[in-house]
Amino acid sequence: MPNTLMAGRRSQDWANLVLAVCLFLSPWVIGFASDTTATWNAWIAAIVLGALAVATLSAFAEWEEWANMVIGLWLIVSPWLLGFMANVNAMWTHVILGVLVAAIAAWAVWDYRHHSHA
């Protein structure tokens, strides 16, 4: 059981690392690099998300998943709070990646709390 539980957590952490890379590259790939607020928001969130994913890959801690949840929720609301909701490409990129990050974090927390901690 511990091996499958750890393998499940690792897949969630790898998914977060992939999402962090996607988020970091999104200003160029999606085409909103000229919007500095959206671009910097994506870069900063991606760096924090990537750092947390790498840290969680080395040693799991539940607080890191809660931090990922906060980053995901921030990505969802940041277009409106930072005022780049008119840039549809940036807005949808942030919202979609935020939903994915928050969902993966919720899954990881649920998985941690509903399986043995061996």
Side-chain angles (χ1 to χ4, degrees):
M1 179 72 176
N3 288 338
T4 59
L5 184 60
M6 185 56 86
R9 283 198 196 121
R10 290 208 183 271
S11 65
Q12 295 156 352
D13 301 330
W14 281 108
N16 274 336
L17 191 58
V18 168
L19 289 174
V21 170
C22 291
L23 183 59
F24 191 85
L25 296 175
S26 67
W28 297 291
V29 174
I30 305 298
F32 61 87
S34 61
D35 187 338
T36 56
T37 303
T39 298
W40 276 101
N41 188 59
W43 289 343
I44 292 168
I47 290 168
V48 173
L49 182 63
L52 285 170
V54 169
T56 306
L57 277 167
S58 63
F60 178 81
E62 186 179 2
W63 71 266
E64 292 165 333
E65 300 303 337
W66 285 106
N68 285 339
M69 176 76 73
V70 169
I71 294 168
L73 295 175
W74 168 254
L75 288 171
I76 293 168
V77 300
S78 64
W80 291 274
L81 294 177
L82 297 178
F84 61 88
M85 68 282 189
N87 186 334
V88 177
N89 290 339
M91 185 217 28
W92 280 112
T93 300
H94 281 76
V95 169
I96 291 168
L97 289 175
V99 167
L100 291 172
V101 168
I104 290 170
W107 174 30
V109 169
W110 181 88
D111 197 28
Y112 176 73
R113 291 189 174 200
H114 288 88
H115 291 94
S116 66
H117 306 295

